[in-house]
């Protein structure tokens, strides 16, 4: 199975002034990420505003990004759904396009029991047996938490190769690491918890901050894995204000603000996400200046 690396960027989706997807800027941003610390790009995840993208827009983005970063980074497609049938169809189509893996979110809103979560992911994996799948546990958005023992059962399925763990619970992450095979990848879904998660056996991060500090995140992880714990801690503490600022309001509003401040024409967010001009801009700008990237 494919190694997705240490820094996986959950890429934003740029929009034009009229609200349509700006594929040209998406291509440029993907190349920039691939050249600045990103090993794998998640296209059409939560940060990419997948809830308000059409499937046609998503498939076009998969193709555009695959072409843009060919030979430079891998592409992981966000093809999850709270409908198992829909998730299977989307994942099969993305696999035919040529993506390297799929990020599968826990079914949201309908709040299935653990047995239903298991059967949902099992069905998707069996329908796309040659495509590596990363589970995505984010109870703050889905309304349901995947228990570690459910993750362990799913890890027994050959092409379910890891999890993006965004519960914010290090005890849960520790338990997942304890009861899953060492080759099963445990990614932090929160930039601020990347270093703590590495200490309990984490593999890396599915990051938002890597849009801005991808090379520094790579340096932090490499320092930790080579035993330079103090150096890794220094990088973490330097970037910590940025990690927190990027979640002062709903993601991806702050990261799009930050990218615009850097000169990227990424547009705003689609409704119902809405950017109140003022406080977020001031806070993000202050932090970017403080850490020296603006």
């Amino acid at each position: 199975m494919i190694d997705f690396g240490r820094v996986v960027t959950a890429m934003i989706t740029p929009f034009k002034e009229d609200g349509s997807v700006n594929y040209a800027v998406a291509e440029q941003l993907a190349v920039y990420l691939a050249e600045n610390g990103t090993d794998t790009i998640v296209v059409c995840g939560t940060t990419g505003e997948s809830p308000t993208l059409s499937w046609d827009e998503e498939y076009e983005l998969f193709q555009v990004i695959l072409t843009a970063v060919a030979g430079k980074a891998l592409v992981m497609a966000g093809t999850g759904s709270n409908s198992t049938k829909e998730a299977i169809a989307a994942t099969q189509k993305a696999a035919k396009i040529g993506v390297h893996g799929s990020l599968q979110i826990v079914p949201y809103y309908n709040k299935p029991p653990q047995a239903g979560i298991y059967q949902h992911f099992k069905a998707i994996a069996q329908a796309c047996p040659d495509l590596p799948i990363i589970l995505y546990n984010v109870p703050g958005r889905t309304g349901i938490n995947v228990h570690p023992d459910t993750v362990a059962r799913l890890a027994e399925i050959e092409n379910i190769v890891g999890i993006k763990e965004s519960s914010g619970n290090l005890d849960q992450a520790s338990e997942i690491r304890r009861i899953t095979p060492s080759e099963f990848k445990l990614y932090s879904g929160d930039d601020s918890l990347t270093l703590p998660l590495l200490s309990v056996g984490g593999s890396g991060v599915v990051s938002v901050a890597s849009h801005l500090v991808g090379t520094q995140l790579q340096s932090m992880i490499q320092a930790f894995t080579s035993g330079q714990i103090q150096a890794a801690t220094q990088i973490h503490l330097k970037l910590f204000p940025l990690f927190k600022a990027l979640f002062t309001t709903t993601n991806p509003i702050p990261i799009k603000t930050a990218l615009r401040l850097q000169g990227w024409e990424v547009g705003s967010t689609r409704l119902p996400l809405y950017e109140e001009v003022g406080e977020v801009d001031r806070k993000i700008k202050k932090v970017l200046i403080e850490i020296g990237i603006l």
Side-chain angles (χ1 to χ4, degrees), residues 7 10 27 29-30 34 56 77 87 113 147-148 161 182-183 189-190 203 206 230 234 241 271 279-280 291:
V7 177
E27 180 179 13
L29 181 58
D56 285 344
H147 297 172
V161 300
S182 58
E183 61 269 20
D190 302 283
S203 307
V206 180
Q230 186 174 3
Q234 288 175 344
L271 287 171
E279 186 61 29
V280 172
I291 66 173

Side-chain angles (χ1 to χ4, degrees), residues 72-86:
K72 297 180 180 180
L74 302 180
V75 175
M76 189 183 301
T79 53
S81 173
N82 60 348
S83 161
T84 307
K85 182 178 179 181
E86 186 175 77

Side-chain angles (χ1 to χ4, degrees), residues 53-253:
L53 293 173
S54 70
W55 284 116
D56 285 344
E57 288 173 326
E58 295 198 12
Y59 299 137
E60 181 68 19
L61 279 165
F62 298 153
Q63 293 173 316
V64 166
I65 304 307
L66 274 167
T67 301
V69 301
K72 297 180 180 180
L74 302 180
V75 175
M76 189 183 301
T79 53
S81 173
N82 60 348
S83 161
T84 307
K85 182 178 179 181
E86 186 175 77
I88 288 172
T91 306
Q92 288 176 328
K93 186 168 182 177
K96 289 179 181 178
I97 290 171
V99 300
H100 303 99
S102 171
L103 185 68
Q104 290 287 335
I105 194 165
V106 172
Y108 41 87
Y109 189 74
N110 42 21
K111 296 180 71 173
Q114 295 299 305
I117 292 171
Y118 174 80
Q119 294 296 335
H120 171 81
F121 288 129
K122 179 183 177 182
I124 298 167
Q126 290 180 337
C128 306
D130 297 323
L131 187 71
I133 289 172
I134 300 287
L135 310 176
Y136 179 16
N137 183 38
V138 56
R141 285 187 181 264
T142 64
I144 194 74
N145 180 51
V146 183
H147 297 172
D149 57 346
T150 303
V151 176
R153 288 182 67 201
L154 288 163
E156 296 173 0
I157 299 171
E158 186 175 3
N159 61 320
I160 296 182
V161 300
I163 185 169
K164 176 185 176 183
E165 174 55 36
S166 300
S167 68
N169 186 333
L170 283 175
D171 284 353
Q172 175 159 303
S174 297
E175 180 65 4
I176 291 171
R177 181 72 294 163
R178 187 183 75 84
I179 62 177
T180 56
S182 58
E183 61 269 20
F184 185 79
K185 301 297 184 181
L186 174 61
Y187 287 100
S188 173
D190 302 283
D191 281 298
S192 63
L193 293 180
T194 303
L195 185 58
L197 199 71
L198 290 174
S199 72
V200 297
S203 307
V205 59
V206 180
S207 174
V208 174
S210 54
H211 285 86
L212 310 170
V213 291
T215 54
Q216 293 182 60
L217 288 174
Q218 279 284 4
S219 295
M220 181 185 75
I221 295 171
Q222 290 170 11
F224 180 87
T225 55
S226 63
Q228 301 175 54
I229 308 304
Q230 186 174 3
T233 301
Q234 288 175 344
I235 297 171
H236 166 77
L237 294 178
K238 176 186 176 182
L239 298 180
F240 186 74
L242 174 66
F243 298 156
K244 304 309 290 185
L246 290 177
F247 286 86
T248 53
T249 187
T250 306
N251 179 49
I253 294 172

Side-chain angles (χ1 to χ4, degrees), residues 7-9 33-41 72-73 210-211 214 218:
V7 177
V8 179
T9 298
L33 294 174
E35 294 176 347
N36 288 274
T38 294
D39 299 308
T40 297
I41 298 173
K72 297 180 180 180
S210 54
H211 285 86
Q218 279 284 4

